[in-house]
Amino acid sequence: MLATAGSAIGLGNIWKLPYMIGVNGGSAFVLIFIASIIFVAIPLMMTEIMLGRRGQKNPLDAMKVLAQEAGVSTLWSWVGGIGMLAGVLILSFYSVVGGWVLSYILSAMEGVFTNISAEGAASNFNQLLAQPLRLLMWHSIFLLLTMTVVARGVSEGLEKANNILIPLLFAILLILLGYSMSVGDMSAAFQFMFSPDFSKVTPTAILAALGHAFFTLSLGMGAVMVYGSYLGKHESIGQTTLFIAILDTALGLLTGLAIYALVFANQLEPGAGPGLIFQTLPIALGSMPAGNFFATLFFVLVGFAAWTSSISLVEPAVAWVIENTKLSRKLASTILGLIIWLTGITVILSFNEWQDVKIALGLGIFDSLDKLTSTVMLPLGGVLMAVFAGYLMKNKHINEELRLTGWAFRFWKITNTVIAPIAVLIVFLNFFGAFENFTLDPFRH
Ligand code: TRP
């Protein structure tokens, strides 16, 4: 359970959710995101853990075993295959952002944030983005940290550390929230995030919110399946899922509040994009008493959370390679690490030298990878798993794992067979239908 929490809690909560709220117009996005968590992500997380515990293998082979058990085509194993690819693609940009966090640890230690102004914080971040070599160094360090753990296959110690570090991250976020409340504009933040404003509900925002529900809970690519395979037979899948989903969502929304209180008090731009937390949090951290200490601790904890998440992005692919080829774990990790490192370099360049390079739908490299994975591959992978479990698996087998009764089982069944597939289908159709009518790029903020 801790490992799954470690996978779920990461940059998705602290970095991605807050900036996406701003880019997608605030409260409407937040409400759709919460609804996606409850009606799609939670039931699908139960499914993914269940498939993993029953399959006991890497995602691709687990799906193969389960398909055989259910008496259906082993082509279902491709669901696991697509998932592993998604993980590798996500890590290519996740590691770059993880690198930003590492570089912020150093800045915090050096006292760069002490009494920093809003302009200072923004220019600090922009300077980082403008230096490909600096970014490359941090991306390399972050990826090396990740791949070292994966190559050794000993993430256990790291997972035990979650025991202390996740509560600590929560605690420091609460301190930050409290401080942000005193220096920032919390009522504006609340208004922005929670007062329903349905005029801002666009197909892009809906798709983004749904996609992020998958991203933040690590769903749809088999990461949770791998951890599910380690979950003891007697642990309750339902309780594990609920606990993680609530913790994860709360962490993200609290970070959002802390950030938007600062954004509105300092007349910053809510739609600033991927740099948002790096341009806002230093302002609060830098003006707090013992600010250097808190800033360092904060970025260390975020870096740690990112580290445990990134391991889960690549572990399924490594597991598949070593179980299906003669390569050792070390060699498999090295090869996959190199592929991710190289793809990451293109992501780095998309923030500076290749800023104008557009690859898909008029998007740059970073945006394309992010959109392709979060809004296409993960929802698709997740829904295919739901359809598989909901329609093809034998009830007896489902019950042996899930052990849900009464309304809880009915909720699981109807969300997996009807609600989640239809929601994803409608969101896809709506998005692509709306896309035809756009003359401009729908992702341009
Ligand atoms: N959930 C993590 C986060 O929020 C990221 C992550 C880890 C992930 N493993 C994943 C996302 C698998 C999708 C699929 O930072």
Side-chain angles (χ1 to χ4, degrees):
M1 175 150 103
L2 271 177
T4 319
S7 162
I9 295 170
L11 296 173
N13 310 68
I14 312 287
W15 159 71
K16 200 170 175 204
L17 178 71
Y19 93 71
M20 290 188 72
I21 293 174
V23 167
N24 291 292
S27 57
F29 176 88
V30 173
L31 290 178
I32 302 165
F33 170 68
I34 294 175
S36 305
I37 292 279
I38 298 174
F39 293 105
V40 181
I42 288 181
L44 265 51
M45 186 164 194
M46 291 169 36
T47 303
E48 202 174 324
I49 297 180
M50 168 184 84
L51 294 177
R53 188 161 77 182
R54 199 158 184 90
Q56 291 291 327
K57 288 209 161 58
N58 68 71
L60 195 145
D61 292 317
M63 287 304 290
K64 197 182 273 173
V65 170
L66 294 169
Q68 278 159 352
E69 186 181 69
V72 297
S73 160
T74 50
L75 281 177
W76 280 96
S77 58
W78 278 99
V79 176
I82 295 173
M84 296 183 320
L85 179 65
V88 166
L89 293 177
I90 293 174
L91 188 52
S92 312
F93 66 82
Y94 204 87
S95 166
V96 173
V97 180
W100 300 352
V101 173
L102 297 185
S103 113
Y104 268 57
I105 297 177
L106 187 67
S107 302
M109 281 170 26
E110 289 172 349
V112 172
F113 303 140
T114 313
N115 295 320
I116 201 167
S117 64
E119 298 77 40
S123 97
N124 226 1
F125 179 71
N126 293 331
Q127 269 171 27
L128 174 65
L129 277 201
Q131 294 166 265
L133 284 179
R134 218 174 124 200
L135 294 173
L136 178 63
M137 177 182 83
W138 291 114
H139 160 56
S140 310
I141 295 176
F142 185 86
L143 193 59
L144 205 63
L145 283 172
T146 299
M147 297 318 294
T148 309
V149 176
V150 176
R152 295 197 173 158
V154 282
S155 39
E156 228 168 273
L158 206 62
E159 276 143 25
K160 292 228 176 72
N162 280 327
N163 236 338
I164 310 165
L165 296 172
I166 293 174
L168 209 57
L169 180 63
F170 219 106
I172 197 165
L173 266 174
L174 288 180
I175 295 175
L176 198 62
L177 190 70
Y179 189 72
S180 193
M181 207 180 285
S182 71
V183 298
D185 189 344
M186 195 51 83
S187 72
F190 237 90
Q191 174 89 8
F192 180 66
M193 279 177 56
F194 295 110
S195 78
D197 176 1
F198 291 99
S199 65
K200 301 216 176 88
V201 179
T202 61
T204 318
I206 300 175
L207 184 62
L210 181 77
H212 191 67
F214 283 86
F215 187 92
T216 193
L217 288 177
S218 306
L219 296 181
M221 57 117 349
V224 166
M225 234 192 244
V226 169
Y227 290 125
S229 72
Y230 307 146
L231 192 71
K233 278 284 170 204
H234 299 290
E235 310 272 353
S236 155
I237 293 179
Q239 277 169 16
T240 304
T241 300
L242 270 186
F243 175 78
I244 295 172
I246 292 171
L247 185 70
D248 186 81
T249 310
L251 259 173
L253 293 176
L254 290 178
T255 315
L257 277 176
I259 288 168
Y260 285 105
L262 296 170
V263 165
F264 293 116
N266 292 286
Q267 280 95 41
L268 303 174
E269 168 58 44
L276 187 67
I277 71 156
F278 298 96
Q279 294 167 337
T280 48
L281 291 183
I283 308 172
L285 291 164
S287 62
M288 268 161 94
N292 286 349
F293 169 74
F294 275 114
T296 309
L297 184 62
F298 177 78
F299 286 109
V300 165
L301 291 172
V302 175
F304 192 86
W307 190 18
T308 52
S309 299
S310 64
I311 290 165
S312 78
L313 282 164
V314 65
E315 176 59 29
V318 170
W320 178 75
V321 172
I322 55 184
E323 284 166 27
N324 288 279
T325 65
K326 294 207 176 66
L327 298 185
S328 66
R329 180 170 267 276
K330 284 210 173 57
L331 198 55
S333 310
T334 310
I335 295 171
L336 282 167
L338 269 177
I339 296 173
I340 295 165
W341 185 69
L342 289 173
T343 318
I345 293 179
T346 68
V347 172
I348 287 178
L349 292 171
S350 77
F351 288 110
N352 36 65
E353 312 293 327
W354 293 356
Q355 220 162 17
D356 301 322
V357 175
K358 305 284 177 240
I359 55 175
L361 296 175
L363 297 172
I365 296 166
F366 163 72
D367 279 327
S368 304
L369 279 176
D370 174 33
K371 259 54 184 210
L372 173 70
T373 51
S374 301
T375 58
V376 182
M377 295 174 91
L378 300 181
L380 207 61
V383 160
L384 287 174
M385 290 179 209
V387 167
F388 177 83
Y391 289 102
L392 303 176
M393 263 177 92
K394 303 207 165 51
N395 270 335
K396 173 171 167 287
H397 295 157
I398 296 173
N399 287 333
E400 276 170 23
E401 299 298 333
L402 281 184
R403 296 193 294 272
L404 295 175
T405 49
W407 68 267
F409 183 74
R410 283 197 291 278
F411 177 76
W412 177 83
K413 187 87 179 177
I414 192 156
T415 42
N416 274 263
T417 50
V418 183
I419 298 179
I422 291 186
V424 169
L425 189 71
I426 291 180
V427 171
F428 276 1
L429 289 178
N430 189 14
F431 177 75
F432 289 108
F435 184 63
E436 285 171 8
N437 303 328
F438 273 107
T439 45
L440 283 170
D441 175 357
F443 289 128
R444 272 268 148 266
H445 345 297

